[in-house]
Amino acid sequence: QVQLVESGGGLVQPGDSLRLSCVVSGVPFDYCGIAWFRQAPGKEREGVSWISSNDEGTYYADSVKGRFTVTRDNAEKMVSLQMSGLKPEDTAVYYCAARIGVLSSDRWSHRENYVYWGQGTQVTVSS
């Protein structure tokens, strides 16, 4: 049984930092590329970041470049998203998603390319 479990969400103020984690089980993690998506109320789910299975490739949405950093720990089967300089527009439910294999820079943010999804964690940025 494949499980992706996100944690680390919460309520923060603009400019604050937050670290999300996604722990993966039931699938060969070393072969998985992992993405973070987010969905704000009334909006489409959008790709935030991607990290390749071999940790050699990362992609970011333009809206988070320079503020978010994605890393992975294959020993812990975990991917983290360090978010800094948070803005109210970052408010959303954040999901991690996994697939076996690589994705190109023009395909990583398409949700249909992912088989496995977590349940999401809420991030709220508000003063």
Side-chain angles (χ1 to χ4, degrees), residues 53-111:
S53 57
N54 59 8
D55 203 9
E56 291 183 357
T58 56
Y59 301 128
Y60 296 93
D62 288 343
S63 59
V64 306
K65 279 180 182 176
R67 299 188 298 122
F68 290 12
T69 302
V70 62
T71 57
R72 66 187 292 153
D73 183 337
N74 283 2
E76 297 294 329
K77 298 184 179 181
M78 182 171 67
V79 172
S80 297
L81 184 68
Q82 179 68 43
M83 306 184 294
S84 61
L86 283 162
K87 306 174 181 180
E89 51 263 42
D90 295 317
T91 295
V93 177
Y94 283 71
Y95 301 89
C96 62
R99 62 164 284 140
I100 295 175
V102 299
L103 285 170
S104 59
S105 59
D106 61 339
R107 295 185 63 82
W108 71 269
S109 60
H110 296 189
R111 57 183 297 183

Coordinates of all heavy atoms in Angstrom, one line a residue, residues 53-111:
S53 N 14.6 11.6 -8.9 CA 14.9 10.5 -8.0 C 16.4 10.5 -7.6 O 16.7 10.0 -6.5 CB 14.6 9.2 -8.8 OG 15.3 9.1 -10.0
N54 N 17.3 10.9 -8.4 CA 18.7 10.9 -8.1 C 19.2 12.2 -7.5 O 20.4 12.4 -7.3 CB 19.5 10.5 -9.3 CG 19.3 11.5 -10.4 OD1 18.7 12.6 -10.3 ND2 19.9 11.2 -11.6
D55 N 18.3 13.1 -7.2 CA 18.6 14.3 -6.5 C 19.4 15.3 -7.3 O 20.1 16.2 -6.8 CB 19.3 14.1 -5.2 CG 19.2 15.2 -4.2 OD1 18.4 16.2 -4.5 OD2 19.8 15.2 -3.1
E56 N 19.4 15.0 -8.7 CA 20.2 15.9 -9.5 C 19.4 16.9 -10.2 O 20.0 17.8 -10.9 CB 21.0 15.0 -10.5 CG 22.1 14.1 -9.9 CD 22.8 13.3 -10.9 OE1 22.5 13.4 -12.1 OE2 23.8 12.6 -10.5
G57 N 18.1 16.8 -10.2 CA 17.3 17.8 -10.9 C 16.2 18.4 -10.0 O 15.6 17.6 -9.3
T58 N 16.1 19.7 -10.0 CA 15.0 20.3 -9.3 C 14.3 21.3 -10.2 O 15.0 21.9 -11.0 CB 15.4 21.0 -8.0 OG1 16.4 21.9 -8.3 CG2 15.9 20.0 -7.0
Y59 N 13.0 21.5 -10.0 CA 12.3 22.5 -10.8 C 11.4 23.3 -9.8 O 11.0 22.7 -8.7 CB 11.4 21.9 -11.8 CG 12.1 21.1 -12.9 CD1 11.6 19.8 -13.2 CD2 13.1 21.6 -13.6 CE1 12.2 19.0 -14.1 CE2 13.7 20.8 -14.6 CZ 13.3 19.5 -14.8 OH 13.9 18.8 -15.8
Y60 N 11.2 24.5 -10.1 CA 10.3 25.4 -9.2 C 9.4 26.2 -10.1 O 9.8 26.6 -11.2 CB 11.2 26.3 -8.4 CG 12.1 25.6 -7.4 CD1 13.4 25.3 -7.7 CD2 11.6 25.3 -6.2 CE1 14.2 24.7 -6.9 CE2 12.5 24.6 -5.2 CZ 13.8 24.3 -5.6 OH 14.6 23.7 -4.7
A61 N 8.2 26.4 -9.6 CA 7.3 27.4 -10.2 C 8.0 28.8 -10.1 O 8.7 29.1 -9.1 CB 6.0 27.4 -9.5
D62 N 7.7 29.6 -11.1 CA 8.3 31.0 -11.0 C 7.9 31.7 -9.8 O 8.7 32.5 -9.2 CB 7.8 31.7 -12.3 CG 8.5 31.3 -13.5 OD1 9.6 30.6 -13.4 OD2 8.0 31.6 -14.6
S63 N 6.7 31.5 -9.3 CA 6.2 32.2 -8.1 C 6.9 31.9 -6.8 O 6.8 32.6 -5.9 CB 4.7 31.9 -8.0 OG 4.5 30.5 -7.8
V64 N 7.7 30.8 -6.8 CA 8.4 30.4 -5.6 C 9.9 30.4 -5.7 O 10.6 30.1 -4.7 CB 7.9 29.1 -5.0 CG1 6.3 29.1 -4.9 CG2 8.3 27.9 -5.9
K65 N 10.4 30.6 -6.9 CA 11.8 30.5 -7.1 C 12.5 31.6 -6.2 O 12.1 32.7 -6.1 CB 12.2 30.9 -8.6 CG 12.0 29.7 -9.5 CD 12.4 30.1 -10.9 CE 12.2 28.9 -11.9 NZ 12.4 29.3 -13.3
G66 N 13.6 31.1 -5.6 CA 14.4 31.9 -4.7 C 13.8 32.0 -3.3 O 14.5 32.5 -2.4
R67 N 12.6 31.4 -3.1 CA 12.0 31.4 -1.7 C 11.9 30.0 -1.2 O 11.9 29.8 0.0 CB 10.7 32.1 -1.7 CG 10.7 33.6 -2.2 CD 9.4 34.2 -2.0 NE 8.3 33.6 -2.8 CZ 7.2 33.1 -2.2 NH1 7.0 33.1 -0.9 NH2 6.3 32.6 -3.1
F68 N 11.6 29.1 -2.1 CA 11.4 27.7 -1.7 C 12.6 26.8 -2.1 O 13.1 27.0 -3.2 CB 10.1 27.1 -2.3 CG 8.8 27.7 -1.8 CD1 8.8 28.8 -1.0 CD2 7.6 27.1 -2.2 CE1 7.6 29.4 -0.5 CE2 6.4 27.6 -1.7 CZ 6.4 28.8 -0.9
T69 N 12.8 25.8 -1.3 CA 13.9 24.9 -1.6 C 13.4 23.4 -1.3 O 13.0 23.2 -0.2 CB 15.2 25.1 -0.8 OG1 15.6 26.5 -1.1 CG2 16.3 24.2 -1.2
V70 N 13.6 22.6 -2.3 CA 13.1 21.2 -2.1 C 14.4 20.3 -2.0 O 15.4 20.5 -2.7 CB 12.3 20.7 -3.3 CG1 13.0 20.7 -4.6 CG2 11.7 19.3 -3.0
T71 N 14.3 19.4 -1.0 CA 15.4 18.4 -0.8 C 14.8 17.1 -0.5 O 13.6 16.9 -0.2 CB 16.3 18.9 0.4 OG1 15.4 19.0 1.6 CG2 17.0 20.2 0.2
R72 N 15.7 16.1 -0.6 CA 15.2 14.7 -0.3 C 16.3 14.0 0.5 O 17.5 14.2 0.4 CB 14.9 13.9 -1.6 CG 16.0 13.6 -2.5 CD 15.5 13.0 -3.8 NE 14.9 11.7 -3.6 CZ 14.0 11.2 -4.4 NH1 13.5 11.9 -5.4 NH2 13.5 9.9 -4.1
D73 N 15.8 13.0 1.3 CA 16.6 12.1 2.1 C 16.2 10.7 1.8 O 15.2 10.2 2.3 CB 16.4 12.5 3.6 CG 17.3 11.7 4.5 OD1 17.8 10.6 4.1 OD2 17.6 12.1 5.6
N74 N 16.9 10.1 0.9 CA 16.5 8.7 0.5 C 16.6 7.7 1.7 O 15.8 6.8 1.7 CB 17.4 8.3 -0.7 CG 17.0 8.9 -2.0 OD1 16.1 9.7 -2.0 ND2 17.7 8.6 -3.0
A75 N 17.5 7.9 2.6 CA 17.5 7.0 3.7 C 16.3 7.1 4.6 O 15.8 6.1 5.1 CB 18.7 7.3 4.6
E76 N 15.7 8.3 4.7 CA 14.5 8.5 5.5 C 13.2 8.4 4.6 O 12.1 8.5 5.1 CB 14.5 9.8 6.2 CG 15.6 10.0 7.2 CD 15.5 9.0 8.4 OE1 14.3 8.8 8.7 OE2 16.5 8.6 8.9
K77 N 13.4 8.3 3.3 CA 12.3 8.2 2.4 C 11.4 9.5 2.5 O 10.2 9.4 2.6 CB 11.5 6.9 2.5 CG 12.3 5.7 2.2 CD 11.4 4.4 2.3 CE 12.3 3.2 2.0 NZ 11.5 2.0 2.0
M78 N 12.1 10.6 2.5 CA 11.4 11.8 2.8 C 11.8 12.9 1.9 O 13.0 13.0 1.6 CB 11.6 12.2 4.3 CG 10.9 13.5 4.7 SD 11.1 13.8 6.5 CE 12.8 14.1 6.6
V79 N 10.9 13.8 1.5 CA 11.2 15.0 0.8 C 10.7 16.1 1.6 O 9.6 16.1 2.2 CB 10.5 14.9 -0.6 CG1 10.6 16.3 -1.3 CG2 11.1 13.9 -1.5
S80 N 11.5 17.2 1.6 CA 11.1 18.4 2.4 C 11.0 19.6 1.5 O 11.7 19.7 0.4 CB 12.2 18.7 3.5 OG 12.2 17.6 4.4
L81 N 10.2 20.5 1.8 CA 10.0 21.8 1.1 C 10.2 22.9 2.1 O 9.4 23.1 3.0 CB 8.6 21.9 0.5 CG 8.4 23.1 -0.4 CD1 9.3 23.1 -1.7 CD2 7.0 23.3 -0.8
Q82 N 11.4 23.5 2.0 CA 11.7 24.7 2.9 C 11.1 25.9 2.3 O 11.5 26.3 1.2 CB 13.2 24.8 3.1 CG 13.6 26.0 4.0 CD 13.1 25.8 5.5 OE1 13.2 24.7 6.0 NE2 12.6 26.9 6.0
M83 N 10.2 26.6 3.0 CA 9.6 27.8 2.4 C 9.9 29.0 3.3 O 9.8 29.0 4.5 CB 8.0 27.6 2.4 CG 7.6 26.3 1.7 SD 5.8 26.2 1.6 CE 5.4 26.0 3.4
S84 N 10.4 30.0 2.6 CA 10.8 31.2 3.3 C 10.2 32.4 2.6 O 9.7 32.3 1.5 CB 12.3 31.4 3.4 OG 12.9 31.4 2.1
G85 N 10.2 33.5 3.3 CA 9.6 34.7 2.7 C 8.1 34.5 2.3 O 7.7 34.9 1.3
L86 N 7.4 33.8 3.2 CA 6.0 33.4 2.8 C 5.1 34.6 2.6 O 5.3 35.6 3.3 CB 5.4 32.5 3.8 CG 6.0 31.0 3.7 CD1 5.7 30.3 5.0 CD2 5.3 30.3 2.5
K87 N 4.2 34.5 1.6 CA 3.3 35.6 1.3 C 1.9 35.1 1.4 O 1.6 33.9 1.4 CB 3.5 36.0 -0.2 CG 5.0 36.4 -0.5 CD 5.1 36.6 -2.0 CE 6.5 37.0 -2.3 NZ 6.7 37.3 -3.8
P88 N 0.9 36.0 1.6 CA -0.5 35.5 1.7 C -0.9 34.7 0.5 O -1.7 33.8 0.7 CB -1.2 36.9 1.8 CG -0.3 37.8 2.4 CD 1.1 37.4 1.9
E89 N -0.4 35.0 -0.7 CA -0.7 34.2 -1.8 C -0.2 32.8 -1.8 O -0.5 32.0 -2.7 CB -0.3 34.9 -3.1 CG 1.1 35.4 -3.2 CD 1.3 36.8 -2.8 OE1 0.6 37.3 -1.8 OE2 2.1 37.6 -3.4
D90 N 0.7 32.5 -0.9 CA 1.2 31.1 -0.7 C 0.2 30.2 0.1 O 0.4 29.0 0.2 CB 2.5 31.1 0.0 CG 3.6 31.7 -0.8 OD1 3.7 31.5 -2.0 OD2 4.4 32.4 -0.2
T91 N -0.9 30.8 0.6 CA -1.9 30.1 1.3 C -2.6 29.1 0.4 O -3.1 29.4 -0.7 CB -2.9 31.1 1.9 OG1 -2.3 31.9 2.8 CG2 -4.1 30.3 2.5
A92 N -2.5 27.8 0.9 CA -3.1 26.7 0.1 C -3.0 25.4 0.8 O -2.3 25.4 1.9 CB -2.4 26.6 -1.3
V93 N -3.6 24.4 0.3 CA -3.3 23.1 0.8 C -2.1 22.5 -0.1 O -2.2 22.6 -1.3 CB -4.5 22.1 0.7 CG1 -4.1 20.7 1.1 CG2 -5.7 22.7 1.5
Y94 N -1.1 22.1 0.6 CA 0.1 21.6 -0.1 C 0.1 20.1 -0.2 O -0.1 19.4 0.9 CB 1.3 22.1 0.5 CG 1.6 23.5 0.2 CD1 0.8 24.6 0.7 CD2 2.7 23.9 -0.6 CE1 1.0 25.9 0.4 CE2 2.9 25.2 -0.9 CZ 2.1 26.2 -0.4 OH 2.3 27.5 -0.7
Y95 N 0.3 19.5 -1.3 CA 0.3 18.1 -1.5 C 1.6 17.6 -2.1 O 2.2 18.3 -2.9 CB -0.8 17.7 -2.6 CG -2.2 18.1 -2.3 CD1 -2.7 19.3 -2.6 CD2 -3.0 17.2 -1.6 CE1 -4.0 19.6 -2.3 CE2 -4.3 17.5 -1.3 CZ -4.8 18.8 -1.7 OH -6.1 19.1 -1.4
C96 N 2.1 16.5 -1.7 CA 3.2 15.8 -2.4 C 2.7 14.7 -3.3 O 1.6 14.1 -3.0 CB 4.3 15.3 -1.4 SG 3.7 14.0 -0.3
A97 N 3.4 14.5 -4.3 CA 3.0 13.5 -5.3 C 4.2 12.8 -5.8 O 5.3 13.4 -5.9 CB 2.3 14.2 -6.5
A98 N 4.1 11.6 -6.2 CA 5.2 10.7 -6.6 C 4.9 10.0 -7.9 O 3.8 9.6 -8.2 CB 5.5 9.7 -5.5
R99 N 6.0 9.8 -8.6 CA 5.9 8.9 -9.8 C 7.3 8.2 -9.9 O 8.3 8.8 -9.5 CB 5.6 9.7 -11.0 CG 6.5 10.7 -11.4 CD 6.3 11.1 -12.9 NE 6.9 10.2 -13.8 CZ 6.2 9.8 -14.9 NH1 5.1 10.3 -15.3 NH2 6.8 8.9 -15.8
I100 N 7.3 7.1 -10.5 CA 8.6 6.4 -10.8 C 9.0 6.9 -12.1 O 8.3 6.9 -13.1 CB 8.4 4.9 -10.8 CG1 8.0 4.4 -9.4 CG2 9.6 4.2 -11.3 CD1 7.7 2.9 -9.3
G101 N 10.3 7.4 -12.2 CA 10.8 7.9 -13.4 C 11.0 9.4 -13.4 O 10.6 10.1 -12.4
V102 N 11.5 9.9 -14.5 CA 11.9 11.3 -14.6 C 10.8 12.0 -15.4 O 10.0 11.4 -16.1 CB 13.2 11.5 -15.3 CG1 14.3 10.8 -14.4 CG2 13.2 10.9 -16.7
L103 N 10.8 13.3 -15.2 CA 9.9 14.2 -16.0 C 10.8 15.4 -16.5 O 11.7 15.8 -15.8 CB 8.8 14.7 -15.1 CG 7.6 13.7 -14.8 CD1 6.7 14.3 -13.8 CD2 6.9 13.4 -16.1
S104 N 10.4 15.9 -17.6 CA 11.1 17.0 -18.1 C 10.6 18.3 -17.5 O 9.6 18.3 -16.8 CB 11.0 17.0 -19.7 OG 9.6 17.1 -20.0
S105 N 11.3 19.4 -17.9 CA 10.9 20.7 -17.3 C 9.6 21.1 -17.7 O 9.0 22.0 -17.0 CB 12.0 21.7 -17.6 OG 12.1 21.8 -19.1
D106 N 9.1 20.6 -18.8 CA 7.8 21.1 -19.3 C 6.6 20.1 -18.9 O 5.5 20.4 -19.2 CB 7.8 21.3 -20.8 CG 8.0 20.0 -21.5 OD1 8.6 19.1 -20.9 OD2 7.7 19.9 -22.7
R107 N 7.0 19.1 -18.1 CA 5.9 18.1 -17.7 C 5.8 17.9 -16.2 O 4.8 17.4 -15.8 CB 6.2 16.8 -18.4 CG 6.1 16.8 -19.9 CD 6.3 15.4 -20.5 NE 5.3 14.5 -20.1 CZ 4.1 14.5 -20.7 NH1 3.8 15.3 -21.7 NH2 3.2 13.6 -20.3
W108 N 6.7 18.4 -15.5 CA 6.7 18.0 -14.0 C 5.5 18.6 -13.3 O 5.1 18.1 -12.3 CB 8.0 18.5 -13.4 CG 8.1 20.0 -13.2 CD1 8.7 20.9 -14.1 CD2 7.6 20.8 -12.1 NE1 8.5 22.2 -13.6 CE2 7.9 22.1 -12.4 CE3 6.9 20.5 -10.9 CZ2 7.6 23.2 -11.6 CZ3 6.6 21.5 -10.1 CH2 6.9 22.9 -10.4
S109 N 5.0 19.7 -13.8 CA 3.9 20.4 -13.1 C 2.5 20.0 -13.5 O 1.5 20.6 -13.1 CB 4.1 21.9 -13.3 OG 4.0 22.3 -14.6
H110 N 2.5 19.0 -14.4 CA 1.2 18.5 -14.8 C 0.7 17.4 -13.9 O 1.3 16.3 -13.9 CB 1.3 18.0 -16.3 CG 1.6 19.1 -17.3 ND1 1.6 18.9 -18.6 CD2 2.0 20.4 -17.1 CE1 1.9 20.0 -19.2 NE2 2.2 20.9 -18.3
R111 N -0.4 17.6 -13.2 CA -0.8 16.6 -12.2 C -1.1 15.3 -12.7 O -1.0 14.3 -12.0 CB -2.0 17.2 -11.4 CG -3.2 17.6 -12.3 CD -4.3 18.2 -11.4 NE -4.8 17.3 -10.4 CZ -5.8 17.6 -9.6 NH1 -6.4 18.7 -9.7 NH2 -6.3 16.7 -8.8

